[in-house]
């Protein structure tokens, strides 16, 4: 999940990649060999924390030793930071037809790259048993037009954190079973009860960019709709449907009634300024290590009233095979990176949810609360962001629409405009 990127710039880069895909020039990087005649498979992925960089070194060395004289893997760790150097490098490679063989991308960009022909399907490199071991959400995220284009080793999730001192003082008991997840009405009642002059009841804004569609789409899904049709072609009648308007109205009510801030302070929950928070699975480690004095708990993502669908956000970076690759060699490398042992050790090193169900046999910390709750959501209720090449317009458009709504704009007019803009972009650039 993109936690630190400014969505408009990042997705504009993705759109640029699409526009450049049809006019690439220069020679392909596929077919390279080392001095010993081995096929060279290049990987680009973002730089990460030391434990992950060590994981990469160990795994690449092991693969190269086992495939000496046949395949040699070389990885380039590309700095992301806030300058979009990673996406800029991809764009330059598209222009010069010098893409790596394997490219790591964030989940929502997979459909865009697949539609542009920058990446190719990887279904053939995994057995049915292998694919059955992966959680559904990561497979759905990586599928476009019925073909699997990407798989990742880790997933994300979001649930409702709460300050136990505040809920206990108010006599509130939070659900500890998925079937008892808070309804929207119950969530609002709790937020209202916990709001004081010093503390707001909840935080629903992770950030004003990609955090908004990543988290808030689930309110549309739980209410029986989505941002866009299943085939990714039509937003009209989905994001602005009656059920979509109901979802936006509920969220806006939390802001307008003063139960949540439209301008949350940094780490509002961690610093005791809000009583509950829709927060990511990564917050567990943050709270444990950096805020040991906070007495907190976590419960399931809220569910729409009257039998709403139980759902939760998912999404993370995944490995794709580019059009420039030697497919047999690159496919063998991707299969290796996503085997059971490597998914398990990668998830362990980065302290994130693994994408293979069997990894939990080793990662026993996910058998204990609070990590067990995120595991349960990942296995049972996870839902990725929309799979459409038009996400480059849909995502920033949704963020803008919701911030406009939160600051007084008409809900229906804002969502109607979002649907119109999204569909116009799709018809212009992607409709067949």
């Amino acid at each position: 999940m993109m936690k630190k990127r400014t969505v408009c710039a990042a997705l504009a880069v993705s759109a640029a990649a699409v526009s450049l895909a049809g006019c690439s020039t220069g020679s392909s990087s596929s077919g390279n060999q080392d001095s010993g005649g081995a096929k060279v498979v290049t990987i680009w992925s973002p730089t990460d924390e030391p434990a992950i960089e060590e994981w990469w070194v160990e795994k690449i060395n092991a693969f190269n030793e086992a495939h000496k004289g046949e395949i040699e893997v070389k990885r380039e760790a590309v700095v992301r930071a806030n300058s979009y150097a990673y996406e800029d490098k991809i764009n330059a490679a598209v222009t010069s037809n010098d893409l790596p063989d394997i490219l790591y991308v964030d989940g929502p960009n997979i459909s865009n790259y697949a539609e542009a022909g920058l990446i190719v399907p990887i279904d053939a490199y995994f057995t049915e048993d292998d694919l059955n071991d992966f959680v559904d959400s990561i497979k759905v995220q990586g599928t476009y037009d019925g073909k699997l284009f990407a798989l990742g080793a880790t997933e994300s999730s979001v649930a409702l954190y709460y300050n136990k001192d505040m809920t206990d003082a108010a006599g509130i008991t939070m659900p500890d079973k998925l079937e008892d997840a808070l309804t929207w009405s119950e969530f609002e009642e709790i937020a209202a009860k916990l709001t004081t002059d010093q503390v707001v009841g909840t935080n629903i804004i992770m950030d004003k960019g990609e955090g908004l569609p990543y988290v808030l789409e689930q309110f549309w899904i739980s209410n029986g709709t989505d941002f866009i049709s299943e085939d990714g072609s039509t937003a009209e009648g989905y994001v602005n449907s009656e059920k979509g308007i109901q979802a936006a109205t509920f969220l806006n009510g939390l802001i307008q009634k003063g139960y949540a801030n439209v301008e949350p302070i940094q780490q509002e929950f961690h610093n005791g300024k809000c009583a509950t928070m829709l927060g990511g699975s990564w917050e567990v480690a943050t709270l444990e290590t950096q805020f040991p004095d906070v007495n907190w708990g976590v419960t399931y993502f809220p569910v729409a009233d009257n039998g709403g669908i139980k759902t939760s956000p998912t999404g993370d970076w995944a490995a794709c095979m580019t059009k420039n690759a030697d497919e047999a060699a690159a496919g063998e490398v991707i299969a290796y990176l996503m085997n059971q042992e490597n998914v398990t050790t990668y998830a362990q090193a980065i302290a994130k949810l693994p994408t293979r169900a069997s990894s939990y046999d080793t990662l026993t910390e996910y058998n204990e609360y609070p990590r067990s709750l995120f595991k349960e959501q990942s296995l049972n209720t996870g839902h990725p962001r929309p799979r459409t090449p038009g996400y480059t317009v849909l995502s920033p458009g949704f963020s803008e629409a919701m911030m406009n709504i939160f600051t007084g704009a008409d809900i229906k007019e804002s969502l109607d405009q979002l649907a119109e803009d999204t569909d116009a972009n799709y018809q212009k650039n992607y409709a067949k």
Side-chain angles (χ1 to χ4, degrees), residues 233-246:
S233 67
T234 308
E236 175 62 39
Y238 292 86
V239 72
N240 63 336
S241 65
E242 181 179 351
K243 291 180 178 180
I245 291 170
Q246 289 171 355

Side-chain angles (χ1 to χ4, degrees), residues 34-51:
D34 66 10
S35 58
K39 295 178 180 177
V40 175
V41 174
T42 54
I43 300 173
W44 287 359
S45 66
T47 54
D48 217 312
E49 57 194 63

Side-chain angles (χ1 to χ4, degrees), residues 298-362:
V298 64
T299 190
Y300 302 93
F301 201 96
V303 179
D305 292 277
N306 303 314
I309 297 167
K310 291 179 173 61
T311 185
S312 56
T314 64
D316 213 339
W317 287 70
C320 308
M321 184 191 303
T322 75
K323 65 186 180 66
N324 287 11
D326 179 306
E327 293 192 17
E332 188 165 350
V333 174
I334 288 180
Y336 167 77
L337 292 172
M338 297 301 153
N339 71 28
Q340 199 275 344
E341 178 186 354
N342 289 336
V343 165
T344 302
T345 55
Y346 184 90
Q348 190 170 40
I350 203 170
K352 294 174 75 173
L353 296 159
T355 53
R356 281 184 175 264
S358 60
S359 295
Y360 289 113
D361 295 339
T362 300

Side-chain angles (χ1 to χ4, degrees), residues 51-112:
I52 295 303
E53 293 302 320
E54 292 172 8
W55 181 92
W56 274 110
V57 170
E58 176 186 340
K59 296 303 178 181
I60 289 175
N61 286 344
F63 182 91
N64 287 344
E65 182 64 27
H67 296 79
K68 189 172 294 185
E70 299 173 357
I71 303 173
E72 181 184 4
V73 176
K74 295 182 178 180
R75 170 181 175 254
E76 182 173 351
V78 183
V79 176
R80 288 177 63 213
N82 291 318
S83 62
Y84 313 113
Y86 189 79
E87 289 77 16
D88 290 344
K89 188 175 179 67
I90 294 172
N91 283 347
V94 170
T95 304
S96 62
N97 199 26
D98 196 30
L99 286 163
D101 301 287
I102 295 171
L103 179 66
Y104 275 70
V105 301
D106 195 29
N109 294 332
I110 293 167
S111 296
N112 194 294

